[in-house]
Amino acid sequence: MCGLCGMLGRPGHWTETATNAEAFQGRARSHTWHRERQDRARLVNRVLRHYGFNLSDWAATSFVLRSHTGQTSLVDNLTEVWAAAEALGKRDCDPLDEDLLTALSEDEAAR
Amino acid sequence: MTDYAALIPVNVVTGFLGSGKTTLLQKLLASPRLKDTAVLVNEFGEVGLDHHLLENVTEGALLLENGCVCCALREDLRESLRDLFSRRERRVIPEFRRVVIETSGLADPVPIAYTMLAEPVLQHHFRLGTIVATVDAVNGRAQLDRNPESLKQAAVADRLILTKTDLAPAGQVNALRTELRRLNGGAVLIDSNVEFPDPERLLMDDAFDRESRDREVDRWLQDRVSGLRPSEHPHGSQAHDGTYSFSVRVDTPLDWSAFGVWMTMLLNRHGDKVLRIKGLLNVAGVAAPVLINGVQHVVHPPVHLECWPDADHGSRIVFVVQGLSRERIEASLKVFNALANPAMVSESVSPVRDQPALETAPSRQ
């Protein structure tokens, strides 16, 4: 339980390796929780920029989703990122969208 | 974090009206191995169940949280399971170690899975076990064609139990087998007339149970993934609203963060059409394979195997989808994976639009 707000704690999101330590033990390279959050935000931003959004870590507990027009939303995990981006941007964030996949591939090739 | 493997498994026994759910359950519960199992039934039907821990649940209204039918808390189930657990803790009833829920013939099993993983109290005490669906060999094909409930039950199941095969012509049974394979290639298919229902195989073995994990994965790999070739499931099949299963193989290791970004985005947009995902993943930097398992928007915490079950270290993922293109899903996964590691670009072919540049993409500087 959170000492400040009294909220009951929830199990971590399935994408976070810290909440599934057993599944990710024995990593070849050193891996920290903080580094993982940074990696995740960096990857999400590669996708979000095509929708006009940016994601940044907030106090290592949540993420702030910001649109290029200044709208913001606080989200807890990856699942919430996409729902919030669709709600704020009023358009679908579809990983199967041809235009998105082409843009991501072109970005990667240009790096 | 609660130890997921230590939670009380909850099996779901589902199947269309008259497909033999209760008869199957009756045979299973006769086994002494299930003596410490609590049973929740939706309705007491014509086939009597004789069990010391048998409860009735009135299938109640769903609490829709976000408009998606699968992400709905089953209020009735929440109350029943909370009450069952409370009485167990107070020693009013014996200390059961497993719960089996028999759904009504028209029930969607996915809200039951969602209730288990999302309800704030239940998620600390219970976890979803295998979903078992009965399919009647006499009427099953027609039910799959005409009733979306029947189709959904078969599509999300871990075990498909063919019933009444002695009453149907052999050709009809074989056609139904082929159809069920096409629909849900990741499920174990069992003929209840050939094989007496084995509680271990049907209910007790699953990927989250440490003792049976390896056995379950071996069974899955040998019987299903290897036998499920994409060519058997042509993309664009419109039978049953385009519901079909296919496997995707990725030979380069998957970056876990990129996989998480991709899968959460896929499920957010298409979770209503991605009925099932099961996979054995080679995660970059992790020596042991990681198992993932999802039912629509509901994703279990990943688990790992001690070691690779065979010499094949490629990632293999089985999807059951409704109207989505296999090629597009595969291309999308590879493009997202390449974002995390340019070395993987060589595999990141994009059948969506042929892009030769991908094959010769420079390394990140």
Side-chain angles (χ1 to χ4, degrees), chain B residues 219-230:
Chain B
R219 183 180 293 147
W220 184 64
L221 285 176
Q222 287 166 16
D223 295 355
R224 313 298 147 222
V225 180
S226 57
L228 189 72
R229 302 288 176 215

Side-chain angles (χ1 to χ4, degrees), chain B residues 60-76 78 108 110-112 114-115 118 152 296-297:
Chain B
L62 302 178
L63 289 181
L64 295 177
E65 289 210 321
N66 60 5
C68 169
V69 175
C70 79
C71 296
L73 280 179
R74 281 275 304 266
E75 173 80 353
D76 54 333
R78 173 169 72 177
D108 179 347
V110 181
I112 297 175
Y114 182 77
T115 302
K152 181 77 173 286
Q296 293 201 291
H297 292 104

Side-chain angles (χ1 to χ4, degrees), chain A residues 11 15 28 86 94-96 98, chain B residues 123 256 269-270 285 328 332 352:
Chain A
T15 55
E86 289 191 342
D94 185 357
L96 306 183
E98 274 185 29
Chain B
Q123 66 186 195
W256 180 252
R269 178 86 322 263
H270 298 291
R328 189 66 62 81
S332 174
V352 179

Side-chain angles (χ1 to χ4, degrees), chain B residues 252-278:
Chain B
T252 47
L254 293 170
D255 178 88
W256 180 252
S257 290
F259 183 79
V261 169
W262 176 76
M263 194 156 139
T264 52
M265 195 177 179
L266 179 74
L267 294 182
N268 177 67
R269 178 86 322 263
H270 298 291
D272 55 335
K273 301 188 194 78
V274 180
L275 303 181
R276 202 71 211 251
I277 295 182
K278 275 188 188 178

Side-chain angles (χ1 to χ4, degrees), chain B residues 46-326:
Chain B
E46 291 175 9
V47 181
L49 279 177
D50 181 20
H51 192 68
H52 65 291
L53 262 177
L54 184 64
E55 306 269 334
N56 190 15
V57 181
T58 306
E59 204 156 275
L62 302 178
L63 289 181
L64 295 177
E65 289 210 321
N66 60 5
C68 169
V69 175
C70 79
C71 296
L73 280 179
R74 281 275 304 266
E75 173 80 353
D76 54 333
L77 196 58
R78 173 169 72 177
E79 293 310 313
S80 296
L81 283 172
R82 280 185 175 197
D83 178 56
L84 205 58
F85 189 76
S86 168
R87 284 187 288 148
R88 175 190 191 257
E89 293 303 286
R90 288 183 280 123
R91 302 185 185 282
V92 175
I93 57 174
E95 188 182 355
F96 58 88
R97 296 183 186 283
R98 175 175 300 277
V99 177
V100 175
I101 298 170
E102 183 194 346
T103 75
S104 75
L106 297 171
D108 179 347
V110 181
I112 297 175
Y114 182 77
T115 302
M116 224 64 68
L117 272 107
E119 208 281 331
V121 174
L122 297 184
Q123 66 186 195
H124 293 288
H125 302 298
F126 298 97
R127 68 172 176 83
L128 183 68
T130 53
I131 300 174
V132 179
T134 51
V135 181
D136 168 355
V138 178
N139 302 307
R141 181 62 196 252
Q143 286 163 350
L144 290 170
D145 285 338
R146 293 179 199 147
N147 303 94
E149 298 90 350
S150 170
L151 184 67
K152 181 77 173 286
Q153 290 163 352
V156 302
D158 298 288
R159 310 282 191 264
L160 285 167
I161 314 300
L162 271 176
T163 60
K164 306 181 189 176
T165 51
D166 53 334
L167 303 178
Q172 187 177 330
V173 175
N174 286 336
L176 183 60
R177 277 177 166 277
T178 306
E179 186 54 27
L180 290 171
R181 276 268 160 273
R182 195 191 65 78
L183 189 64
N184 183 355
V188 176
L189 186 56
I190 295 167
D191 183 337
S192 66
N193 274 74
V194 174
E195 221 176 298
F196 192 81
D198 174 8
E200 207 165 77
R201 194 169 178 212
L202 265 60
L203 303 178
M204 301 168 81
D205 284 3
D206 67 39
F208 306 102
D209 175 51
R210 290 194 180 91
E211 283 182 18
S212 61
R213 183 175 298 167
D214 291 345
R215 189 164 59 232
E216 176 71 2
V217 171
D218 284 346
R219 183 180 293 147
W220 184 64
L221 285 176
Q222 287 166 16
D223 295 355
R224 313 298 147 222
V225 180
S226 57
L228 189 72
R229 302 288 176 215
S231 58
E232 292 174 32
H233 310 285
H235 135 65
S237 167
Q238 291 305 306
H240 301 314
D241 296 330
T243 304
Y244 68 111
S245 57
F246 59 88
S247 68
V248 166
R249 181 188 172 82
V250 184
D251 285 321
T252 47
L254 293 170
D255 178 88
W256 180 252
S257 290
F259 183 79
V261 169
W262 176 76
M263 194 156 139
T264 52
M265 195 177 179
L266 179 74
L267 294 182
N268 177 67
R269 178 86 322 263
H270 298 291
D272 55 335
K273 301 188 194 78
V274 180
L275 303 181
R276 202 71 211 251
I277 295 182
K278 275 188 188 178
L280 182 71
L281 307 184
N282 182 342
V283 175
V286 178
V290 174
L291 296 169
I292 54 147
N293 192 348
V295 187
Q296 293 201 291
H297 292 104
V298 182
V299 182
H300 292 274
V303 294
H304 85 300
L305 298 182
E306 293 296 329
C307 58
W308 284 92
D310 51 30
D312 184 354
H313 290 194
S315 298
R316 286 151 278 178
I317 312 172
V318 172
F319 293 83
V320 181
V321 299
Q322 198 165 41
L324 297 177
S325 151
R326 178 185 73 79

Side-chain angles (χ1 to χ4, degrees), chain A residues 7 10-16 37 40 44 48 53 55 61-66 72-89 93, chain B residues 65-66 114 260-261 263-265 267-269 297:
Chain A
M7 289 289 286
R10 293 175 68 88
H13 194 255
W14 68 268
T15 55
E16 295 163 12
R37 289 181 68 84
R40 189 176 297 130
V44 172
L48 281 177
F53 285 97
L55 190 76
T61 54
S62 301
F63 294 99
V64 180
L65 180 71
R66 287 189 180 83
T72 61
S73 180
L74 198 63
V75 294
D76 282 339
N77 55 51
L78 280 180
T79 296
E80 293 181 10
V81 166
W82 307 114
E86 289 191 342
L88 290 181
C93 296
Chain B
E65 289 210 321
N66 60 5
Y114 182 77
V261 169
M263 194 156 139
T264 52
M265 195 177 179
L267 294 182
N268 177 67
R269 178 86 322 263
H297 292 104

